């Protein structure tokens, strides 16, 4: 009898503790608040993403990507050339043939499967999809650099294929997919100023895209995933506060005009502080490439910047942003002070 009474008391205590922590009303309120830029509340996110059916082009691309030989030198080569502060492109290593991949991406739109509503953050299918996309992108950028080293204008076709791949990821709201798209665009921009002149018209579309907005939308999707599952399983005050904390981060980022930005750590999911730093830095990187191409074409640079904390100057030798914006390893960004007009001795 005594043991039974103790058991009942323990159960009652657990029920009281759980009821004390459970705050479904606060969680519902946190999810109902509006996110910046007209993105709506978390409860509206799922409806924006109905299912998509994969097409044959995505099947072909995946097979071609999986057939590429494992080659760690490609990533090292691309990273080294992105961070090089002069027009010279180093001698490329042996590279795989990416012609079939390039022609597929230039010829056909690629559509991967998208499950409707909110997909679990970090699911294995999305992770595998991202790996394929980044493998393809790096191989094509390496091919573009190798062609530019030989002064072959066809280098732009490889970069165009990467841009088509990056744009094909627009309908997929997961953060890891949107960071892949952002990384592709950033790689293209970082090497574009070294490509043979003239630059193609599509490059302007890439440089006009603001990745911060898309990443904030992916951030909202990530918060919606945690909010949706938490509201069903264990709606706590901590969850409500964390959702509100992340919404306030999004509000601050949406109105941020600087390019040297240190965002606070989000509560839900993987820490994205380094992503925001790279995203805001990329605004200056786009201007770096645009100004470098102007110098190479014999035109004056545009000294004004969309970054409220910086501007551009060119002294006849070095094109320089008025501040350095460091990023953490393993990121290897393009420099913001470099020599845009030195001829490549290998050309």
């Amino acid at each position: 009898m005594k043991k039974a009474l103790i058991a009942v008391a323990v159960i009652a205590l657990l029920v009281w503790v759980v009821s004390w922590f459970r705050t479904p009303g606060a969680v519902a309120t946190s999810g109902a608040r509006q996110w910046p830029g007209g993105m709506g509340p978390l409860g509206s996110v799922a409806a924006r993403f109905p299912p998509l059916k994969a097409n044959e082009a995505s099947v072909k691309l995946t097979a071609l990507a999986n057939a590429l030989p494992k080659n760690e030198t490609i990533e090292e080569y691309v990273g080294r050339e992105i961070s090089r502060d002069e027009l010279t492109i180093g001698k490329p290593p042996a590279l795989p043939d990416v012609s079939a991949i390039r022609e597929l991406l230039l010829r056909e739109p690629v559509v991967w499967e998208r499950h409707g509503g909110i997909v679990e953050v970090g699911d294995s299918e999305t992770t595998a999809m991202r790996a394929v996309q980044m493998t393809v992108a790096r191989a094509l950028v390496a091919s573009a650099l190798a062609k530019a080293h030989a002064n072959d204008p066809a280098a732009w076709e490889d970069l165009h294929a990467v841009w088509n791949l990056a744009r094909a990821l627009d309908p997929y709201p997961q953060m890891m997919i949107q960071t892949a798209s952002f990384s592709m665009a950033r790689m293209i921009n970082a090497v574009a100023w070294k490509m043979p002149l003239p630059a193609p018209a599509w490059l302007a579309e890439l440089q006009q895209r603001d990745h911060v907005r898309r990443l904030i939308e992916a951030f909202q999707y990530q918060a919606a995933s945690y909010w949706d599952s938490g509201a069903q399983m264990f709606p706590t005050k901590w969850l409500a506060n964390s959702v509100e904390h992340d919404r306030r981060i999004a509000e601050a980022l949406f109105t941020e005009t600087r390019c040297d930005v240190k965002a606070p750590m989000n509560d839900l999911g993987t820490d994205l502080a380094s992503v925001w730093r790279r995203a805001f830095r990329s605004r200056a990187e786009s201007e770096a490439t645009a100004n470098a191409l102007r110098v190479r074409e014999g035109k004056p640079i545009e000294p004004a910047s969309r970054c409220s904390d910086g501007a551009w100057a060119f002294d006849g030798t070095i094109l320089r942003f008025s501040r350095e914006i460091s990023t953490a390893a393993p990121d290897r960004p393009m420099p913001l002070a470099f020599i845009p007009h030195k001829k490549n001795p290998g050309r």
Side-chain angles (χ1 to χ4, degrees), residues 56-181:
E56 186 60 29
S58 68
V59 176
K60 292 177 184 176
L61 182 62
T62 300
L64 289 169
N66 289 334
L68 289 173
K70 304 299 181 184
N71 190 343
E72 294 181 1
T73 61
I74 290 179
E75 185 171 356
E76 172 59 29
Y77 173 61
V78 171
R80 185 175 65 249
E81 295 307 320
I82 284 175
S83 60
R84 191 190 290 268
D85 64 356
E86 58 184 66
L87 195 59
T88 302
I89 297 175
K91 183 179 179 181
L95 298 175
D97 181 7
V98 293
S99 57
I101 292 175
R102 179 182 62 251
E103 295 308 313
L104 172 65
L105 287 168
L106 292 177
R107 182 180 67 247
E108 302 180 43
V110 177
V111 181
W112 283 272
E113 183 177 10
R114 184 181 73 190
H115 302 290
I118 303 294
V119 178
E120 178 187 356
V121 173
D123 66 292
S124 58
E125 187 176 330
T126 303
T127 302
M129 177 178 166
R130 188 187 199 279
V132 167
Q133 293 154 355
M134 293 307 300
T135 296
V136 167
R138 290 192 190 97
L140 286 165
V141 172
S143 177
L145 285 164
K147 289 175 182 173
H149 176 76
N151 201 29
D152 183 354
W156 286 109
E157 294 301 295
D158 288 314
L159 296 185
H160 194 186
V162 182
W163 178 229
N164 284 353
L165 176 60
R167 290 188 304 162
L169 304 185
D170 286 351
Y172 305 90
Q174 297 93 329
M175 179 59 77
M176 67 167 59
I177 297 300
Q178 286 307 307
T179 54
S181 176

Side-chain angles (χ1 to χ4, degrees), residues 29-52:
T29 298
S30 70
R33 291 194 173 101
Q34 296 289 321
W35 279 56
M39 288 188 285
L42 296 185
S44 69
V45 173
R48 299 206 298 266
F49 301 102
L52 284 177

Side-chain angles (χ1 to χ4, degrees), residues 81-89 145 148 156 159 186-197 199 203 207 285-297 317 319 333-342 347:
E81 295 307 320
I82 284 175
S83 60
R84 191 190 290 268
D85 64 356
E86 58 184 66
L87 195 59
T88 302
I89 297 175
L145 285 164
W156 286 109
L159 296 185
R186 195 166 173 237
M187 281 194 293
I188 296 168
N189 179 76
V191 302
W193 69 277
K194 302 185 180 190
M195 297 293 110
L197 295 176
L203 184 64
Q207 294 196 309
E285 292 171 359
S286 292
E287 294 171 351
T289 293
N291 273 329
L293 289 170
R294 288 190 185 99
V295 170
R296 291 184 60 200
E297 293 168 350
T317 301
L319 176 65
M334 72 175 293
L336 296 181
F338 55 95
I339 303 171
H341 58 23
K342 184 177 179 181
R347 296 180 183 175

Side-chain angles (χ1 to χ4, degrees), residues 203-250:
L203 184 64
E205 179 188 3
L206 180 147
Q207 294 196 309
Q208 289 165 7
R209 174 172 291 202
D210 185 14
H211 305 284
V212 172
R213 167 71 191 222
R214 291 187 175 275
L215 290 170
I216 293 176
E217 290 173 349
F219 184 38
Q220 186 198 32
Y221 181 91
Q222 175 176 287
S225 175
Y226 287 108
W227 173 79
D228 182 63
S229 59
Q232 296 178 45
M233 297 173 60
F234 200 34
T236 64
K237 185 66 174 176
W238 177 87
L239 176 62
N241 289 340
S242 294
V243 166
E244 179 60 12
H245 172 75
D246 288 1
R247 189 187 70 84
R248 290 183 181 276
I249 289 176

